[in-house]
């Protein structure tokens, strides 16, 4: 499967009469966006705001971040959700690189997620670097939480599709090509390199904790194999609203750094043969079945090593350790990517589960670490939730507008795909 | 798979939704009290069917927890290890907690999330 990603570099976003890309600026017609969003009658109100890197803006509570793209060949964007369910991951896709759609709106009272566009908070989230079109949405009063999440999720994806269309006729500034061969061909191509796959765990526990693969709720899949470029091309989207610091937004899936870096090493230090996706469920029997299947698939394709990434904390630690242990027991080396809830002093046990076979760990940082964020000039969304969000506490929001919070409040701060700057090293 | 023997919960929404269908042990207390009751049950031979830690909503945010148990014949060591681990984690997280805001307005939201995670597990099995 071969994918050409054409990057149209976006370095500014402005409102305009027509939605278009010109000389690296994304012009946005806010009225068209509002019309598009309000076509769903469940949405009562929508505001379109712009946020640029360096501006004194705080966005909260962030639901999802999405990269606008257009498929020129080989299916459509967000297959099974926005476009027909045709397989993606091949053909040509144009990307508005440097731009994003950010959705905000209160689904439940304690919801979380802060993106600061400037100041110390901006250093913790990669999304502070994006030219952002922010949708502030509110739904009709009688909408239940399940529908509320769905409505906001779909609105964000639709607007990303709409903005992506502006890149259809634009010549990309750079074109990157990614290719993965069918398994046996890939093995034959680099017979001397270790065969490595990526095991991606998808959060799938229920309301506000879900992920979709070609439109299928991931809790209903059994672990399966997917081409790396399918993930890069929008096959997986996020319905996950909780645990801002370590949830994978749709943007994370589109730009999964594990996929990207393994492809970059393919043919050099390793033979990247594919991705196994698995889920994180509530029932222990489901955890056992899924980790058995993951290990079985890893064995079946004769892997030498895997990288396993987790999503979330607590309950999924059990899935992580089950996957790691069972894959290691097949004689396959593992490295896990996770983050830590080690207490504010960093002294507590980092994960809720452990095993001696899980002996190679990359961390995305300690989510309990406390940081102070300055007052910023403009709030997009609703700041009143800050006292109540995860990682906030009584007195978080001070009278002078500064806030004292745990890192887990910041969207993407301790991301478990490594799409962040924090980590730790030991000798 | 072992049939459901009982649900241990402190969540009124779970009580309302499931008390007609399953034996339900309602705990008047917090997250930790539910875990401790489950540990008692495990020592008496129960097997844990759903994970004692919530999804990504942390024990120091939500006061609500529901756990599904099956009947066993002797002490199930996996269940015991799981519940002991969970109690350690929850105690650790509660220790750090600086008087968290408890807004009764969010109670229903937390109840709904806990109920949803439980039903997505249970409905699947029926």
């Amino acid at each position: 499967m071969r994918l050409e990603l054409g990057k149209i570099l976006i370095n500014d976003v402005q409102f305009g009469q027509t939605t278009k890309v010109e000389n690296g600026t994304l012009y946005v017609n806010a009225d068209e966006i509002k019309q598009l969003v309000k076509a769903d009658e469940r949405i009562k109100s929508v505001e379109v705001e712009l946020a640029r890197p360096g501006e004194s803006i705080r966005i909260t509570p962030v639901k999802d971040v999405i990269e606008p793209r257009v498929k020129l060949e080989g299916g459509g964007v967000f297959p099974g959700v926005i476009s027909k369910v045709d397989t993606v991951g091949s053909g040509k896709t144009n990307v508005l690189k440097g731009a994003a759609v950010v959705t905000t709106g209160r689904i439940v009272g304690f919801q979380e997620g802060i993106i600061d566009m400037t100041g110390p908070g901006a250093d913790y989230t990669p999304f502070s670097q994006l030219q952002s079109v922010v949708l502030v949405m509110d739904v009709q009063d009688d909408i239940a939480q399940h529908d509320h999440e769905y409505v906001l999720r779909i609105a964000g994806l639709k607007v990303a599709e709409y903005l992506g269309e502006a890149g259809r006729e634009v010549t990309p500034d750079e074109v990157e090509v990614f290719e993965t061969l069918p398994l046996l061909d890939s093995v034959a191509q680099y017979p001397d390199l270790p065969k490595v796959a990526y095991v991606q765990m998808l959060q799938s526990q229920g309301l506000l904790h879900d992920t979709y693969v070609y439109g299928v709720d991931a809790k209903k899949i059994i672990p399966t194999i997917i081409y790396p470029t399918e993930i890069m091309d929008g096959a997986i989207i996020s319905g996950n609203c909780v645990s801002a610091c370590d949830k994978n937004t749709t943007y994370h899936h589109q730009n999964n750094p594990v996929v990207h870096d393994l492809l970059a090493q393919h043919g050099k230090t390793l033979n990247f043969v594919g991705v196994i996706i698995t889920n994180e469920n509530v029932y222990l029997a489901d955890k056992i079945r899924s980790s058995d299947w993951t290990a079985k698939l890893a064995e079946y394709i004769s892997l030498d090593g895997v990288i396993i990434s987790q999503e979330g904390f607590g309950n999924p630690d059990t899935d992580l350790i089950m996957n790691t242990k069972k894959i290691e027991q097949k004689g396959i080396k593992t490295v896990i990517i996770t983050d830590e809830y080690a207490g504010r002093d960093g002294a507590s046990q980092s994960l809720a589960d452990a095993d001696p076979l899980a002996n190679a760990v990359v961390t995305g940082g300690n989510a309990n670490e406390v940081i102070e964020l300055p007052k910023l000039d403009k709030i997009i969304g609703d700041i009143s939730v800050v006292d109540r969000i995860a990682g906030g506490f009584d007195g978080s929001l001070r009278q002078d507008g500064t806030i004292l919070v745990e890192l887990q409040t910041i969207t993407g701060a301790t991301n478990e795909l490594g799409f962040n700057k924090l980590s730790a090293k030991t000798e | 798979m072992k049939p459901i023997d009982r649900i241990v919960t402190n969540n009124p929404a779970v009580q309302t939704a499931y008390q007609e269908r399953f034996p339900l042990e309602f705990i008047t207390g917090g997250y930790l009290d539910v875990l401790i009751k489950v540990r008692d049950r495990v020592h008496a031979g129960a097997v844990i069917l759903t994970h004692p830690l919530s999804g990504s909503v942390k024990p120091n945010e939500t006061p609500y927890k529901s756990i599904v148990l099956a009947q066993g014949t002797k002490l199930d060591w996996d269940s015991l290890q799981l519940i002991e681990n969970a109690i350690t984690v929850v105690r650790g997280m509660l220790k750090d907690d600086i008087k968290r805001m408890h807004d009764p307005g969010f109670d229903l939201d937390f109840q709904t999330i806990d109920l949803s995670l439980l039903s997505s597990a249970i409905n699947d099995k029926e």
Side-chain angles (χ1 to χ4, degrees), chain A residues 106 108-110 112 145-146 203 205-209 219 242-243 282-287 289 312-316 318 341 343-345 348-349 351-353 368 387-394 406 408, chain B residues 1-2 4 48-61 65 68 81-82 85-86 88-89 92-93 95-101 103 106 108-110 112-113 116-118 120-122 124-125:
Chain A
R106 249 168 110 163
V108 286
F110 59 89
E112 55 204 344
Q145 287 99 330
H146 284 90
Q203 179 63 277
Q205 291 170 347
L207 177 59
L208 307 188
H209 293 70
K219 76 171 67 63
V242 283
S243 207
V282 175
Y283 239 76
L284 286 162
D286 292 329
K287 293 182 184 299
R289 184 190 310 105
F313 160 84
N315 175 331
T318 297
Y341 287 78
R344 290 190 184 150
D345 58 2
S348 303
Q349 183 180 314
L351 293 176
D353 203 352
N368 292 130
D387 271 344
R388 282 93 170 172
I389 56 187
F393 34 84
D394 191 4
E406 289 185 2
Q408 55 171 307
Chain B
M1 179 155 355
K2 285 182 182 292
I4 295 171
I48 298 174
L49 294 184
T50 58
H51 200 288
L53 293 174
S54 298
S56 289
V57 182
K58 313 293 181 301
N60 52 2
E61 295 169 66
K65 186 63 202 164
V68 183
Q81 198 182 4
L82 196 64
N85 252 335
T88 308
V89 168
M93 299 200 89
K95 176 193 74 174
D96 253 351
D97 202 25
I98 301 172
K99 205 174 102 201
R100 214 158 267 273
M101 291 286 279
D103 186 330
F106 300 153
L108 278 178
D109 286 344
F110 283 124
T112 307
I113 298 278
S116 156
L117 297 195
L118 189 77
S120 70
I122 289 179
D124 228 33
K125 307 294 166 214

Side-chain angles (χ1 to χ4, degrees), chain A residues 246-361:
Chain A
D246 59 11
K247 75 173 181 184
N248 296 329
T249 65
T250 299
Y251 193 98
H252 284 112
H253 290 295
Q254 295 170 302
N255 292 281
N256 189 319
V258 183
V259 169
H260 186 274
D261 291 1
L262 282 172
L263 282 168
Q265 287 302 314
H266 177 64
K268 294 176 188 161
T269 57
L270 51 83
N271 191 344
F272 183 28
V273 295
V275 181
I276 300 169
I277 49 170
T278 182
N279 48 20
E280 301 175 350
N281 287 355
V282 175
Y283 239 76
L284 286 162
D286 292 329
K287 293 182 184 299
I288 294 167
R289 184 190 310 105
S290 287
S291 53
D292 282 349
W293 274 74
T294 303
K296 187 170 61 177
L297 286 172
E299 178 190 46
Y300 185 67
I301 55 177
S302 303
L303 295 173
D304 298 305
V306 299
I307 292 176
I308 306 172
S309 71
Q310 186 191 0
E311 183 172 4
F313 160 84
N315 175 331
D317 293 356
T318 297
D319 302 273
L320 176 70
I321 295 302
M322 281 184 181
N323 282 323
T324 306
K325 195 168 143 182
K326 290 175 185 179
I327 293 170
E328 284 272 348
Q329 283 168 345
K330 301 279 188 190
I332 301 164
K333 296 280 182 210
T334 61
V335 176
I336 64 184
I337 312 174
T338 180
D339 66 347
E340 303 176 56
Y341 287 78
R344 290 190 184 150
D345 58 2
S348 303
Q349 183 180 314
S350 301
L351 293 176
D353 203 352
D355 191 273
L357 288 171
N359 55 13
V361 180

Side-chain angles (χ1 to χ4, degrees), chain A residues 10-16 24-30 48-59 98-102 115-119 121-123 125-135 376-380:
Chain A
I10 302 296
N11 46 45
D12 193 11
V13 61
Q14 297 288 343
F15 287 119
T25 298
L26 171 63
Y27 293 93
V28 175
N29 179 324
V48 182
E49 305 257 15
L50 303 180
R52 305 172 190 87
E55 289 183 326
S56 185
I57 293 177
R58 171 165 296 142
I59 311 168
V101 174
V102 177
I115 297 175
D116 278 2
M117 300 305 284
T118 190
D123 292 337
T125 174
F127 304 123
S128 61
Q129 304 307 311
L130 301 177
Q131 308 291 336
S132 302
V133 177
V134 188
L135 306 177
L376 297 185
D377 295 343
K378 181 175 177 183
I379 304 294
I380 301 178

Side-chain angles (χ1 to χ4, degrees), chain A residues 71 74-81 83-89 214 230 233 235:
Chain A
K71 284 291 290 169
V77 290
F78 308 121
V81 184
S83 303
K84 281 197 299 179
V85 73
D86 298 334
T87 302
V88 292
Y214 284 98
E230 292 180 81
D233 209 15

